[in-house]
Every structure is written in structure tokens, then in C-alpha cells.
Amino acid sequence: MDRSEFRHHGHALVDWIADYLAGSERYPVLARVAPGELRDALPATAPERGESFDVIFRDFERLVVPALTHWNHPGFFGYFAITASASGVLAEFLSAALNQQAMLWRTSPAATELESVTLDWLRSLLGLPPTFEGVIYDTASISTLHALAAAREVAVPGVREAGLSGRGRLCIYCSEHAHSSVDKAAILLGLGHQAVRPVPGDDRFQLRVDALRSALDRDAADGVTPVAVVATIGTTATTSVDPVADIAAVCRDRGIWLHVDAAYAGVTAMLPGQRAHFAGWDLADSIVVNPHKWLFVPFDLSAFYCRRMDVVRRTFALAPDFLQTPEASRGVKNLMDTGIQLGRRFRALKLWMVLRHFGAERIRETLARHMSLARRFAEWVDADPDFERVAPVPFSVVCFRARPSRGVAPAELDAFNERLLDAVNASGDAFLSHTRLNDRFVLRLAIGHLRTSDEHVSRAWELLREHAASLAGRAHQPSPL
Ligand SMILES: *Cc1c(COP(=O)(O)O)cnc(C)c1O
């Protein structure tokens, strides 16, 4: 593609993206394709001869777009709602063009140093002390894997050289509501899935510290070596907050690595009113916060902070001859030393551009607005006799279920809520996901898209009420909203 052709297609593409970012509502949020539909519409082999970009782009619009679930739609309320903001999209475009591979400082001084500057900015916005050094990984799952690998290095001296055989039983402790990335890390680190000890939560879905203490005592008596405790600020299902300060005290007394998973909710530490949820997180050994979740940075970018990055380096650093550079003796960071990957892409560019373009004030305002929309939705649920809320709302996620006063037997409620979810998601205007709590099927509304406004949340509530009423087989009462 020569320069003028690139300009031509590039300009057209930017126009397309500009319309998409402003008008993603014209698409149904949830893709309406059947499994295999896109696959069947595409040739089984790559073309022998190159095709024109116009033809390729027409196929993108005709075949690929209908198979998209639109995470960048303001009616997206599933899982954790996220945003690729315009400044982040531009940064990704630029990052692809620059094609930096930041394994060594010399292979990209810019990516290496911008990563440490932007992570320091974010760290101080989050109110964490400078003793935490940051590194960017792709996802929270990978951040947690690195945290637990470092914890294993401390708990089992010499494991890097000698491996785990003959080292006895090892355990990782977390709440029963912790994210499955803890399980995957245990599997991958050779501890075995059984090494994860799920500690019961209380009726607010927060880890019970008394239960943690007893599990540790019991295991200590059995000769089990504790590797780490994982506390969560903002669990995946209900966004509950574990009592991190108390957990940190337990970990300090027993010399156990504490990892805090704040992948979703961590960014709200920027808000003075939210600080109570974060009490004690500065005592952790490591913390993960995902700017790709609720900081308007396009997927993917996970920020990993560690007070003992020297241990992470001791766990992973391994420089074959061809990767040894003279700068090493001058104290530069080589990003390949802080993880599994050799090559690193230039993710810091989008965090830098998003933080600068928004400014901390606008970010704080947006997070506060999302949380107030969630509280409003929770009030509607609470005030409606045909719905019930099933968990507190510390951030921007509401867990609830329909419970029509007439027309649905209690034993049918799970199936009823499943049908309700399908009906709302089929509307194309809103997309919600579900979870199971106390063995009940529960609906989840997660607010986090930049352009989600009162109208989108009201529309979702309207759809829920309408469909609940019609599924329960009675006339819909117009909403008082
Ligand atoms: C989303 C989430 C994760 C996993 O995030 P990825 O970046 O997709 O790996 C882990 N923990 C919590 C609490 C989360 O909310």
C-alpha cells in the first residue's frame, strides 16, 4: 500500500470509526448471529492473490460487523462495561504504526520509560505510595499469575531452579467469590487446582477473616506451606469488598504474600469518597488494577503494582547472550525481566494519552456519575415489589432478580429470570449478564461505558419491567419514571 492509498483508506477508516464511536447505538448490543454463521460465510483458505482494501472493508462491514457484540455501545451492561475512548483508539492506531517491541530498554526507550511514568501517575492518583513499582501486562489474569509466581518464589526458596517436586503441599487462600484467574494461576504454577482454598464469605459476600485464620491454622498443623492470600476489592459477581486491612494484618503476622485483585474497582480509589473500600491495600505485596475496565482505555491494559518487584525480576529474569546490552550496567529497566513475555507492545501510549486527554478530574466525575446511576437503578429495584436486589452496591454493579408477586411459582424463578434476561438481550437496546448467588440465578447490571446516560439505564429498567410483566402473563403497568 503506497502512501496515497494509505491516506485514502486511512481517512475513510477514521470517518467510519468516528461515526461508530458516536453512533454505536444503531447496532444491537448483542450480536444476532448463530454459531458458525460468520465462519460459514468466509472462505476456508487465505487468498493466493492480494485483494483491494475496499473489497476487504466491504466484507468487514457486511460479514464481520453483524457478528460483533458491541462492547462500545452505551447499552452494554454485561460483565463489566468498558469503553474504548476516542483518545485511546487514536493511541492504539499510532501504537500499531510504531510497532515497538519493548523487550529491552534499547529496543524501545520510549515504551520502557513511558510505561514507568504513566504507571507512576496512575499510582499516585490511586493514592498508593511510591514503594509500589508498576508494570503493564495484558490482563488481570496475567498480572495475578505473575504475583503468585513471585509469591511462590518467596514461599518455596529455590523453586526456580529445583522446581516443586518434594516440596510438600502448598496453598493459596482467597474468598469463595475470588476470580477464576487465581485458580488458573495455581494450575499453571504447578500447585494444582486443589491448592486453592476457597474461604467462605459472609452475607455481604466479603471474605470472613475468622474463616481465613482457621483455614491457615488447620493447614499449618497439617504442614501445608501458605503461598499467598488473594483479597479482592470488587469481586466479579457482586463487586463485594474483602476486609483488606484485617487480611493484611493476618498476612503480616504470618509472613504471607498478600495480593489484592482490584481489577475492576481499583480505579475508584481516585475518589476521596471511596477510600474506605481501599483501607489497607497499601499493605499488600502486589495489586492489580485494570485501566481497560473502567478507565476508558481500549482493551487490553492491566496495571500491576508490586512492592517487591525485585522478587518478580528474580523469578523471571533470564538474559541469553544476545539480549545482554551495555545499558544494563547503567540501571535501565528491561521490561522482559518483569515477566513471561519477551516482546512487549507499546500499551503505555494509550494510558498516557487517555490520562492526559481526560485529566483526573473528568475521570473522577465519570466514575462518580456511573456509581450514582447504579445507585438510582438499585433504588428502582428496591421500590418495585416485582423485583428484589440481592447484594449491596458499593460501585457500579447491581445484582437483582425479578420476583413477580403473581403468576410465577418460587421454584420457577430461576427459569423465569433466565427467560427475562434473554428477552431483554434480544431487544438490541441493552445487554445484561447473569451470575449465581446462594444457588439462585441472578441478573447483573454493570455500568461503565463513557456514554451510558440516564436514558440508557432507564431504558434497561423499562425493558426489564415490560418483559417481566409480559412473561408473567399480565398487563404491563406503565413505569412511573
Ligand atoms: C475482570 C476481572 C478479572 C480478570 O480480568 P482480565 O483482565 O480479563 O484477566 C480478575 N479479577 C477481577 C476481580 C475482575 O473483575
Side-chain angles (χ1 to χ4, degrees):
M1 201 182 280
D2 66 22
R3 194 194 313 199
S4 72
E5 213 187 331
F6 182 80
R7 245 186 248 290
H8 167 74
H9 294 303
H11 290 160
L13 190 62
V14 166
D15 285 341
W16 192 94
I17 294 171
D19 290 339
Y20 178 70
L21 293 179
S24 53
E25 279 148 280
R26 70 175 179 279
Y27 301 100
V29 196
L30 184 63
R32 288 186 171 148
V33 288
E37 203 171 311
L38 175 60
R39 208 191 149 80
D40 293 345
L42 294 170
T45 53
E48 198 59 40
R49 295 242 172 91
E51 300 175 81
S52 88
F53 199 77
D54 284 326
V55 170
I56 303 168
F57 198 77
R58 272 202 296 279
D59 281 350
F60 163 76
E61 284 198 290
R62 189 171 63 87
L63 301 170
V64 177
V65 171
L68 293 169
T69 288
H70 292 278
W71 289 75
N72 233 5
H73 186 303
F76 190 106
F77 299 113
Y79 314 106
F80 285 111
I82 58 175
T83 312
S85 63
S87 42
V89 171
L90 291 174
E92 279 285 48
F93 195 20
L94 202 49
S95 163
L98 300 170
N99 210 20
Q100 295 292 283
Q101 205 279 42
M103 56 182 176
L104 296 165
W105 178 86
R106 70 157 49 182
T107 65
S108 185
T112 307
E113 295 188 15
L114 203 62
E115 180 160 326
S116 87
V117 171
T118 51
L119 288 180
D120 279 352
W121 287 6
L122 180 62
R123 178 189 48 66
S124 89
L125 289 172
L126 298 176
L128 288 169
T131 39
F132 281 95
E133 184 182 339
V135 63
I136 294 176
Y137 299 123
D138 53 1
T139 58
S141 304
I142 297 301
S143 294
T144 293
L145 172 66
H146 284 84
L148 296 177
R152 189 187 66 161
E153 191 65 24
V154 173
V156 189
V159 65
R160 170 182 158 131
E161 297 310 317
L164 279 174
S165 102
R167 307 307 286 265
R169 281 172 58 216
L170 305 159
C171 274
I172 294 172
Y173 302 81
C174 59
S175 124
E176 58 179 329
H177 304 291
H179 190 262
S180 55
S181 51
V182 178
D183 302 74
K184 288 196 179 180
I187 294 166
L188 191 58
L189 290 168
L191 308 179
H193 199 184
Q194 287 173 0
V196 178
R197 282 270 191 279
V199 178
D202 61 15
D203 57 358
R204 296 170 67 84
F205 311 101
Q206 305 175 328
L207 179 143
R208 276 178 39 210
V209 181
D210 61 317
L212 172 66
R213 275 204 203 88
S214 341
L216 285 164
D217 288 343
R218 243 188 346 263
D219 282 349
D222 288 346
V224 172
T225 306
V227 171
V229 175
V230 180
T232 311
I233 300 177
T235 57
T236 311
T238 67
T239 74
S240 60
V241 179
D242 290 337
V244 176
D246 295 344
I247 297 169
V250 171
C251 290
R252 192 192 44 224
D253 289 348
R254 301 175 189 233
I256 306 173
W257 186 288
L258 173 60
H259 175 61
V260 170
D261 179 356
Y264 149 74
V267 290
T268 66
M270 289 172 68
L271 297 166
Q274 291 294 109
R275 285 280 159 83
H277 293 317
F278 295 88
W281 80 325
D282 53 324
L283 303 171
D285 294 282
S286 55
I287 296 175
V288 57
V289 175
N290 271 1
H292 73 223
K293 266 199 174 137
W294 203 5
L295 203 63
F296 322 118
V297 171
F299 193 75
D300 49 11
L301 197 161
S302 178
F304 177 69
Y305 289 104
C306 191
R307 279 196 298 124
R308 303 166 77 179
M309 204 61 95
D310 56 314
V311 178
V312 177
R313 292 202 175 84
R314 203 164 80 214
T315 307
F316 291 105
L318 199 66
D321 212 47
F322 79 103
L323 291 174
Q324 294 182 8
T325 58
E327 293 88 25
S329 59
R330 309 220 313 263
V332 300
K333 283 189 200 177
N334 291 323
L335 287 172
M336 66 170 193
D337 291 341
T338 32
I340 274 287
Q341 282 181 263
L342 176 64
R344 300 299 210 90
R345 66 193 204 86
F346 196 177
R347 291 193 180 88
L349 189 62
K350 58 187 170 182
L351 182 57
W352 186 61
M353 289 191 169
V354 166
L355 287 175
R356 288 189 61 180
H357 188 68
F358 277 75
E361 190 178 83
R362 171 105 193 280
I363 292 170
R364 286 191 202 97
E365 281 165 12
T366 309
L367 299 177
R369 188 173 64 77
H370 286 161
M371 287 191 280
S372 102
L373 286 173
R375 278 193 300 273
R376 174 121 43 104
F377 184 89
E379 284 165 15
W380 296 337
V381 170
D382 292 347
D384 193 318
D386 288 341
F387 284 84
E388 64 178 330
R389 190 150 60 82
V390 298
V393 180
F395 304 104
S396 69
V397 172
V398 185
C399 291
F400 64 102
R401 66 187 329 225
R403 191 198 44 189
S405 38
R406 280 174 298 138
V408 187
E412 303 290 311
L413 277 176
D414 277 5
F416 181 84
N417 277 280
E418 277 185 59
R419 284 201 302 279
L420 174 58
L421 182 63
D422 287 345
V424 169
N425 290 346
S427 72
D429 289 350
F431 171 57
L432 284 74
S433 57
H434 71 277
T435 188
R436 278 199 92 79
L437 290 174
N438 299 324
D439 210 28
R440 294 185 305 178
F441 186 91
V442 168
L443 308 180
R444 252 176 110 268
L445 178 111
I447 297 173
H449 190 271
L450 192 56
R451 287 196 303 109
T452 296
S453 68
D454 298 17
E455 289 101 88
H456 301 103
V457 180
S458 308
R459 175 74 185 134
W461 179 232
E462 190 62 32
L463 284 165
L464 283 156
R465 292 185 72 247
E466 266 171 35
H467 286 290
S470 75
L471 287 169
R474 61 199 159 81
H476 168 57
Q477 304 292 311
S479 164
L481 298 174

